[in-house]
Amino acid sequence: MDCLFCKILAGEIPSKKIYEDNLCYAFYDIAPQSDTHFLVVPKQHICCAAEITAENADVVAHIFTVIPKLCKELGLDSYRIINNCGAGAGQTVLHLHFHVLSGSNLGERLV
Ligand code: AMP
């Protein structure tokens, strides 16, 4: 499968790893949009949030336990979690991922 994040997970493309377990992988975004910007992805290839089902949702819940743990370890008190679903929302890599951003530029918000 020609998926950038699957290639990162396979070690075929280098990444700045933060955390890994049997279900998910966290690494720094190559083009950070804030002082801290990392991504958390399921190891299982799920295309996007629209592909989350009752059968694969456990990994999403798991990721949402990993994110606060990592943020605490990184000393981040405030942060924003973003998922872009679909090209119209800005999704460029078709492997489910959650952006975690923290820093001084989070004042502007859409919602
Ligand atoms: P999205 O636009 O929501 O699909 O997010 C994809 C993210 O992946 C963007 O923020 C990119 O900067 C990031 N990205 C692309 N290639 C890499 C890479 N090789 N390593 C780390 N992050 C990447």
Side-chain angles (χ1 to χ4, degrees):
M1 186 186 303
D2 192 24
C3 168
L4 177 66
F5 290 170
C6 283
K7 287 179 179 163
I8 285 177
L9 288 165
E12 294 167 15
I13 292 175
S15 64
K16 285 179 70 180
K17 172 177 155 179
I18 302 173
Y19 173 82
E20 177 176 20
D21 62 28
N22 57 329
L23 293 176
C24 70
Y25 186 77
F27 57 107
Y28 285 104
D29 196 291
I30 203 168
Q33 300 300 308
S34 195
D35 298 335
T36 302
H37 182 179
F38 64 88
L39 304 170
V40 189
V41 308
K43 287 193 168 174
Q44 175 190 357
H45 182 87
I46 300 170
C47 179
C48 61
E51 300 285 318
I52 298 169
T53 65
E55 284 69 40
N56 65 21
D58 282 2
V59 69
V60 179
H62 176 69
I63 284 172
F64 274 80
T65 68
V66 167
I67 288 172
K69 190 171 89 101
L70 297 183
C71 287
K72 194 171 181 185
E73 285 172 10
L74 293 169
L76 307 175
D77 296 325
S78 301
Y79 48 91
R80 186 169 295 155
I81 302 168
I82 294 175
N83 170 257
N84 298 317
C85 179
Q91 185 176 9
T92 58
V93 179
L94 297 181
H95 183 126
L96 180 66
H97 53 283
F98 296 94
H99 297 258
V100 182
L101 299 126
S102 183
S104 54
N105 66 337
L106 297 183
E108 287 189 26
R109 38 185 290 179
L110 288 174
V111 291

